[in-house]
Amino acid sequence: SINIKDGKYSGFEILSPRVAGDPYDTWNRDYMKQLRELRVLNDREVNIIFGKGVNGVRERGQALVEGGNYRIDSLTCRNVMSKDPSDRSDLVVFRCNCRASQKPDVYIVHLVFEQTTGGSFRSCPYSTCSCRDGELFCSHMIGLIVILGLAQIRGTKMGQEAFEERLPEDP
């Protein structure tokens, strides 16, 4: 049986929905348009986000992608903003379910970015995973960044549907 973990902490404690008058005012499966606006999520960007010294976590994140642990049909995005009155930036959150590698658990990964051209990643407390390490960073978050980066590079050329068909399937 599958157990979806909500986690002890949620980035939504500091985020609220944002109405921009577009299809992303609610959860939307058409994430490619939003990805085109972000800074390219390549190895250099992962180093900036997570630092260079987390190779074991990166390898586990890559293994999750290659193992088909992400439910790509659950990947959605929406407009959000911070509840912090000193930070009223337009933000976008990407959400995807990820099956744990050695448990029957499914974690919910939320990655938040500034919604601007070249938008930057917003780390904790904005971006989170419902696993026990997801308050800071974890392999589930890195794996989703890998998927989003691949979608930016390959998916924008071939289209979202073709991109998703080429990802490994959850066994």
Side-chain angles (χ1 to χ4, degrees):
S1 106
I2 295 175
N3 182 19
I4 296 181
K5 297 283 192 176
D6 286 332
K8 298 179 285 188
Y9 176 82
S10 169
F12 283 96
E13 292 175 6
I14 63 161
L15 295 172
S16 352
R18 180 173 55 84
V19 176
D22 65 27
Y24 301 98
D25 289 345
T26 59
W27 290 108
N28 192 315
R29 280 274 300 133
D30 182 19
Y31 52 84
M32 287 294 183
K33 179 180 179 286
Q34 297 289 359
L35 284 175
R36 285 186 195 104
E37 299 297 319
L38 303 181
R39 190 178 292 185
V40 176
L41 299 170
N42 54 22
D43 285 339
R44 181 182 160 282
E45 190 65 17
V46 172
N47 284 340
I48 291 168
I49 294 168
F50 293 107
K52 293 181 180 180
V54 292
N55 291 330
V57 177
R58 286 183 195 203
E59 289 169 6
R60 288 193 301 279
Q62 185 69 36
L64 290 168
V65 173
E66 292 170 3
N69 291 54
Y70 290 88
R71 293 290 314 269
I72 197 66
D73 61 338
S74 73
L75 180 54
T76 57
C77 62
R78 74 165 297 151
N79 298 322
V80 292
M81 64 183 183
S82 172
K83 290 180 182 175
D84 179 354
S86 67
D87 177 13
R88 301 311 279 178
S89 303
D90 290 347
L91 305 170
V92 61
V93 60
F94 294 86
R95 175 181 70 186
C96 190
N97 294 343
C98 178
R99 184 179 45 78
S101 56
Q102 298 179 10
K103 299 179 198 171
D105 297 336
V106 174
Y107 300 121
I108 304 168
V109 183
H110 292 100
L111 300 179
V112 178
F113 297 84
E114 296 169 356
Q115 194 173 28
T116 59
T117 301
S120 298
F121 177 75
R122 290 284 187 101
S123 62
C124 181
Y126 297 93
S127 295
T128 62
C129 177
S130 61
C131 76
R132 66 184 161 96
D133 294 327
E135 290 181 33
L136 298 174
F137 70 89
C138 63
S139 58
H140 312 108
M141 294 169 76
I142 291 177
L144 184 53
I145 285 178
V146 167
I147 288 174
L148 296 180
L150 289 170
Q152 284 178 312
I153 295 163
R154 294 191 177 95
T156 53
K157 293 176 185 168
M158 67 176 66
Q160 183 171 322
E161 187 176 330
F163 168 73
E164 290 181 359
E165 288 173 358
R166 285 168 175 77
L167 287 175
E169 292 184 26
D170 192 7

